[in-house]
Amino acid sequence: MPRANRYFLPGHVWHITHRCHQSQFLLKFARDRRCWRFWLFQARKRYGLCVLNYIVTCNHIHLLVQDRGEREIARSMQLIQSRTAQKYNRRKLRKGAFWEDRYHATAVDTDQHLARCVTYIDLNMVRAGAVKHPSEWECSGYREIQKPPLRYNTVDQAALLRLFGLTRWAQLQQVCREWVREAIREDSSRRDSVWSASLAVGRKEFLKDVKKTLGTRARCRNLEYDGGFHVLREPSTCYRSHSDS
């Protein structure tokens, strides 16, 4: 499988997806999903990872973060991946790969595209038919945003408020509920591959800036319009997406 994109640019918001090896359901048990979330919390505490949203499904994860330019994303992903795999393999007396070769990262513009990406992540298990509403799935940013835990809070509340131009947490909780309600009313089952198979999603100016900043690394990338989104697309030889969300 070709290696997925994981370039990072300081200040940008990134939607990260990572799948279990051969899309196996290695995260089907709640204890393993909680393990991944625990190490996400540890990554925030150790490296200052700025977590905006996340969800842990049965065979892959979605993570929305903002890059602070301290290599915290790469170090955090290495920590979370290795510790989650080690604990699972030790318990199951299992050997071999737990994750796909590399995770994929998509830069997300910090305008309405960010709100749509947050909602897309929230609705992952609704699209999969596992739950009727994102509040029913435990290991998710939506659940944490609506009911912040007393311990192990992974979502960076200050960063989310700043990015959405809000001043109170209750405001963010309300708008997130409204985004989900509207998305479910319109069509909760549709998968938008742009969020997991593109180099960047956003306004044309944002995409041109990302491409320019990446320089020669973005030489074979193309600006396209796909399903209502402007995207900086990677050729199919650069990344192959899977059929699930």
Side-chain angles (χ1 to χ4, degrees):
M1 174 178 169
R3 299 213 159 187
N5 166 63
R6 59 177 189 179
Y7 302 126
F8 294 115
L9 303 173
H12 285 65
V13 171
W14 296 90
H15 173 223
I16 296 172
T17 53
H18 202 196
R19 301 183 182 278
C20 296
H21 184 60
Q22 296 181 342
S23 292
Q24 297 176 72
F25 288 84
L26 302 180
L27 294 165
K28 65 180 179 180
F29 295 117
R31 65 190 297 181
D32 297 309
R33 296 193 293 270
R34 291 174 190 145
C35 177
W36 185 93
R37 184 177 59 187
F38 171 78
W39 287 109
L40 176 64
F41 168 78
Q42 291 296 324
R44 183 184 177 190
K45 189 165 70 170
R46 294 186 189 190
Y47 306 127
L49 182 67
C50 181
V51 179
L52 305 176
N53 200 8
Y54 67 91
I55 193 167
V56 192
T57 79
C58 295
N59 68 349
H60 67 286
I61 63 92
H62 291 256
L63 177 62
L64 191 66
V65 295
Q66 186 171 32
D67 187 6
R68 290 175 168 166
E70 302 291 335
R71 294 194 67 253
E72 73 279 5
I73 298 178
R75 289 191 290 174
S76 295
M77 292 301 294
Q78 183 178 17
L79 174 71
I80 299 166
Q81 292 165 353
S82 62
R83 296 302 177 87
T84 302
Q86 286 170 9
K87 187 166 184 178
Y88 181 89
N89 285 348
R90 190 179 300 119
R91 190 180 84 250
K92 295 286 189 177
L93 300 178
R94 175 185 180 273
K95 295 182 179 180
F98 185 93
W99 300 100
E100 287 287 3
D101 182 37
R102 288 196 175 195
Y103 52 87
H104 183 84
T106 299
V108 181
D109 201 351
T110 55
D111 58 354
Q112 72 270 18
H113 293 87
L114 181 58
R116 294 177 73 172
C117 186
V118 166
T119 308
Y120 179 77
I121 294 171
D122 290 339
L123 290 173
N124 195 277
M125 297 310 291
V126 176
R127 289 191 301 273
V131 295
K132 293 184 178 179
H133 192 274
S135 60
E136 300 170 26
W137 193 256
E138 179 189 2
C139 285
S140 67
Y142 183 88
R143 181 90 164 253
E144 185 174 324
I145 288 170
Q146 297 301 325
K147 296 182 179 180
L150 297 177
R151 300 177 62 195
Y152 306 129
N153 194 329
T154 56
V155 172
D156 191 323
Q157 296 184 358
L160 268 178
L161 290 175
R162 182 179 65 253
L163 285 166
F164 287 120
L166 302 173
T167 57
R168 294 185 297 109
W169 192 245
Q171 292 176 298
L172 182 66
Q173 291 172 318
Q174 179 61 32
V175 296
C176 285
R177 289 195 296 269
E178 291 174 357
W179 291 336
V180 164
R181 187 182 304 115
E182 182 65 19
I184 290 177
R185 187 184 65 81
E186 289 182 351
D187 181 7
S188 63
S189 62
R190 187 171 65 91
R191 175 180 182 265
D192 286 320
S193 62
V194 296
W195 300 116
S196 56
S198 304
L199 181 62
V201 182
R203 297 163 295 172
K204 284 185 178 180
E205 296 76 12
F206 171 77
L207 301 181
K208 290 178 180 178
D209 181 63
V210 170
K211 185 172 183 178
K212 180 179 179 181
T213 304
L214 287 175
T216 56
R217 291 174 293 176
R219 186 169 46 198
C220 62
R221 279 64 171 178
N222 303 309
L223 270 67
E224 299 178 7
Y225 188 74
D226 183 355
F229 297 93
H230 287 100
V231 301
L232 184 58
R233 181 77 73 193
E234 292 191 290
S236 58
T237 54
C238 295
Y239 180 72
R240 184 183 68 198
S241 63
H242 293 259
S243 58
D244 59 344
S245 57

